[in-house]
Amino acid sequence: MTGLLDTVRDRIGEGDLVGALGKLGESRGVLAEVGHAESDGVQGARCFGLLERRWSALRREFGEWVMGLWRRIVVVDEEMGVLVVEGEAGDVPFEEVVRAMDELDVVDTAMGRVHKSLDTAVVGPLLKGGKRVRVETGRLGLVDASKPMDAADFIDDVKTMLTFMVVSLPGPISTPLLERILPVLMLQVVSEWLDPCMPTNLESL
């Protein structure tokens, strides 16, 4: 068990996310077996407790490393008003980082933070008016509108923003993020831009 935990730390040091994740999962299974085998006796319980604390500390270390990779891939600059999505963090692909986040059960926490920052940087200013969405490679931001906006302009900007997120972010990330953002955008479309006599089925967006 101790050797397995050392291997996890070595994989982290080497930047081997897949290897570290696999060995961490393997060590969790071994820890459960040790706990069952050492359930009788004070000495066995003490030994298991030490291993369990070491495993928990290593899992926290792994989680901090994974979240550090995440923050390098998805960057929201609230001051500049942009969302930047990189394809990888160093040599670690985005999809591998997302898989590790899912295994650690931290996707919702990460999404909450991104949603809050994105609302401040992009969504909020867009809803206030006078801004248009601009998309460049891996980058979503706002520019000043060159003319007064109408409903078609706003809906087009919403579609552009949603498309960027769907294309740039893996499904496990884009889906929960859109579930947070869409209700506010749809409310704005219905309440501010659409004529009351128009149907409000906006599924095509």
Coordinates of all heavy atoms in Angstrom, one line a residue, residues 2-38:
T2 N 1.9 1.3 0.9 CA 2.8 2.4 0.9 C 3.5 2.7 -0.4 O 3.6 3.8 -0.9 CB 3.8 2.2 2.0 OG1 3.2 2.1 3.3 CG2 4.8 3.4 2.1
G3 N 3.9 1.6 -1.0 CA 4.6 1.7 -2.3 C 3.6 2.3 -3.4 O 4.0 3.0 -4.3
L4 N 2.4 1.9 -3.3 CA 1.4 2.3 -4.3 C 1.1 3.8 -4.1 O 1.0 4.6 -5.1 CB 0.1 1.6 -4.1 CG -1.0 1.7 -5.2 CD1 -0.5 1.3 -6.5 CD2 -2.2 0.8 -4.8
L5 N 1.1 4.3 -2.9 CA 0.9 5.7 -2.6 C 2.1 6.5 -3.1 O 2.0 7.6 -3.6 CB 0.7 6.0 -1.1 CG -0.6 5.4 -0.5 CD1 -0.7 5.7 1.0 CD2 -1.9 6.0 -1.2
D6 N 3.3 6.0 -2.9 CA 4.5 6.6 -3.4 C 4.5 6.7 -4.9 O 4.9 7.7 -5.5 CB 5.8 5.8 -3.0 CG 6.1 5.9 -1.5 OD1 5.6 6.9 -0.9 OD2 6.7 5.0 -1.0
T7 N 3.9 5.7 -5.6 CA 3.8 5.7 -7.1 C 2.8 6.8 -7.5 O 3.1 7.5 -8.5 CB 3.3 4.4 -7.6 OG1 4.2 3.4 -7.2 CG2 3.1 4.4 -9.1
V8 N 1.7 7.0 -6.8 CA 0.8 8.1 -7.1 C 1.5 9.5 -7.0 O 1.4 10.3 -7.9 CB -0.4 8.1 -6.1 CG1 -1.3 9.4 -6.4 CG2 -1.2 6.9 -6.2
R9 N 2.3 9.7 -6.0 CA 3.0 11.0 -5.8 C 4.1 11.1 -7.0 O 4.3 12.2 -7.5 CB 3.7 11.0 -4.5 CG 4.5 12.3 -4.3 CD 4.8 12.6 -2.8 NE 3.7 13.2 -2.1 CZ 3.0 12.5 -1.2 NH1 3.4 11.3 -0.8 NH2 2.0 13.1 -0.6
D10 N 4.7 10.0 -7.3 CA 5.7 10.1 -8.4 C 5.0 10.5 -9.7 O 5.5 11.3 -10.5 CB 6.4 8.7 -8.6 CG 7.3 8.4 -7.5 OD1 7.7 9.3 -6.7 OD2 7.7 7.2 -7.3
R11 N 3.8 9.9 -10.0 CA 3.1 10.2 -11.2 C 2.7 11.7 -11.2 O 2.7 12.4 -12.3 CB 1.8 9.3 -11.3 CG 2.1 7.9 -11.5 CD 2.7 7.6 -12.9 NE 2.9 6.1 -13.1 CZ 4.0 5.4 -12.7 NH1 5.0 6.1 -12.1 NH2 4.0 4.1 -12.9
I12 N 2.3 12.2 -10.1 CA 2.0 13.6 -10.0 C 3.2 14.5 -10.3 O 3.1 15.4 -11.1 CB 1.4 14.0 -8.6 CG1 0.1 13.3 -8.3 CG2 1.3 15.5 -8.4 CD1 -0.5 13.5 -6.9
G13 N 4.3 14.1 -9.8 CA 5.6 14.8 -10.0 C 6.0 14.8 -11.5 O 6.6 15.7 -12.0
E14 N 5.6 13.7 -12.1 CA 6.0 13.5 -13.6 C 4.9 14.2 -14.5 O 5.1 14.2 -15.7 CB 6.0 12.0 -13.9 CG 7.2 11.3 -13.2 CD 7.0 9.8 -13.3 OE1 6.0 9.3 -13.9 OE2 7.9 9.1 -12.7
G15 N 3.8 14.7 -13.9 CA 2.8 15.3 -14.7 C 1.9 14.3 -15.5 O 1.3 14.6 -16.4
D16 N 2.0 13.0 -15.0 CA 1.2 12.0 -15.6 C -0.2 11.9 -14.9 O -0.4 11.1 -14.0 CB 1.9 10.6 -15.4 CG 1.2 9.5 -16.1 OD1 0.2 9.7 -16.7 OD2 1.8 8.3 -15.9
L17 N -1.1 12.6 -15.5 CA -2.5 12.7 -14.9 C -3.2 11.4 -14.9 O -3.8 10.9 -13.9 CB -3.3 13.8 -15.6 CG -4.7 14.0 -15.1 CD1 -4.8 14.3 -13.6 CD2 -5.4 15.1 -15.9
V18 N -3.2 10.8 -16.1 CA -3.9 9.5 -16.3 C -3.3 8.4 -15.3 O -4.0 7.7 -14.7 CB -3.8 9.0 -17.7 CG1 -4.4 7.6 -17.9 CG2 -4.6 10.0 -18.6
G19 N -2.0 8.4 -15.3 CA -1.3 7.4 -14.4 C -1.6 7.6 -13.0 O -1.9 6.7 -12.2
A20 N -1.6 8.9 -12.5 CA -1.8 9.2 -11.1 C -3.3 8.9 -10.8 O -3.5 8.4 -9.7 CB -1.5 10.7 -10.9
L21 N -4.2 9.2 -11.7 CA -5.6 8.9 -11.4 C -5.9 7.4 -11.3 O -6.6 7.0 -10.4 CB -6.5 9.5 -12.5 CG -8.0 9.4 -12.4 CD1 -8.5 10.1 -11.1 CD2 -8.7 9.9 -13.6
G22 N -5.2 6.7 -12.2 CA -5.4 5.2 -12.1 C -4.8 4.6 -10.9 O -5.5 3.8 -10.2
K23 N -3.6 5.0 -10.5 CA -3.0 4.5 -9.3 C -3.8 5.0 -8.0 O -3.8 4.2 -7.0 CB -1.6 4.9 -9.2 CG -0.7 4.3 -10.2 CD -0.7 2.8 -10.1 CE 0.2 2.1 -11.1 NZ 0.2 0.6 -10.9
L24 N -4.3 6.2 -8.1 CA -5.1 6.6 -6.9 C -6.3 5.8 -6.7 O -6.7 5.4 -5.6 CB -5.5 8.1 -7.1 CG -6.1 8.8 -5.9 CD1 -5.1 8.9 -4.8 CD2 -6.7 10.2 -6.3
G25 N -7.0 5.4 -7.8 CA -8.2 4.6 -7.8 C -7.8 3.2 -7.3 O -8.5 2.6 -6.5
E26 N -6.7 2.7 -7.8 CA -6.2 1.4 -7.3 C -5.9 1.4 -5.9 O -6.2 0.4 -5.1 CB -4.9 1.0 -8.1 CG -4.4 -0.4 -7.9 CD -3.2 -0.7 -8.7 OE1 -2.9 0.0 -9.7 OE2 -2.4 -1.7 -8.3
S27 N -5.3 2.4 -5.4 CA -4.9 2.5 -3.9 C -6.2 2.6 -3.1 O -6.2 2.1 -2.0 CB -4.0 3.7 -3.7 OG -4.7 4.9 -3.9
R28 N -7.2 3.2 -3.6 CA -8.5 3.3 -2.8 C -9.0 1.9 -2.6 O -9.5 1.5 -1.6 CB -9.5 4.1 -3.6 CG -10.8 4.3 -2.9 CD -11.7 5.3 -3.6 NE -11.8 5.0 -5.0 CZ -12.3 5.9 -5.9 NH1 -12.7 7.1 -5.5 NH2 -12.3 5.6 -7.2
G29 N -9.0 1.0 -3.7 CA -9.4 -0.3 -3.6 C -8.6 -1.1 -2.6 O -9.1 -1.9 -1.8
V30 N -7.3 -1.0 -2.6 CA -6.4 -1.7 -1.7 C -6.6 -1.2 -0.3 O -6.7 -2.0 0.6 CB -4.9 -1.4 -2.1 CG1 -4.0 -2.0 -1.0 CG2 -4.6 -2.0 -3.5
L31 N -6.9 0.1 -0.1 CA -7.2 0.6 1.2 C -8.4 0.0 1.8 O -8.4 -0.3 3.0 CB -7.3 2.1 1.2 CG -7.5 2.9 2.5 CD1 -6.3 2.7 3.4 CD2 -7.8 4.3 2.3
A32 N -9.4 -0.2 1.0 CA -10.6 -0.8 1.5 C -10.4 -2.3 1.9 O -10.9 -2.7 2.9 CB -11.7 -0.8 0.4
E33 N -9.6 -3.0 1.1 CA -9.2 -4.3 1.5 C -8.4 -4.4 2.8 O -8.6 -5.3 3.7 CB -8.4 -5.0 0.4 CG -9.2 -5.2 -0.9 CD -8.3 -5.8 -2.0 OE1 -7.1 -6.0 -1.7 OE2 -8.8 -6.0 -3.1
V34 N -7.5 -3.4 3.0 CA -6.7 -3.4 4.2 C -7.6 -3.1 5.4 O -7.5 -3.7 6.5 CB -5.6 -2.3 4.1 CG1 -5.0 -2.1 5.5 CG2 -4.6 -2.7 3.1
G35 N -8.6 -2.2 5.2 CA -9.5 -1.9 6.3 C -10.3 -3.1 6.7 O -10.6 -3.3 7.9
H36 N -10.7 -3.9 5.7 CA -11.5 -5.1 6.1 C -10.6 -6.1 6.8 O -11.0 -6.7 7.8 CB -12.0 -5.7 4.8 CG -12.8 -6.9 5.0 ND1 -14.1 -6.9 5.6 CD2 -12.5 -8.3 4.8 CE1 -14.5 -8.2 5.7 NE2 -13.6 -9.0 5.2
A37 N -9.4 -6.2 6.3 CA -8.5 -7.2 6.9 C -8.0 -6.8 8.3 O -7.8 -7.7 9.2 CB -7.2 -7.4 6.0
E38 N -7.9 -5.5 8.5 CA -7.3 -5.0 9.8 C -8.4 -4.5 10.7 O -8.1 -3.7 11.7 CB -6.3 -3.8 9.5 CG -5.2 -4.2 8.6 CD -4.2 -5.1 9.3 OE1 -4.3 -5.3 10.5 OE2 -3.3 -5.6 8.6

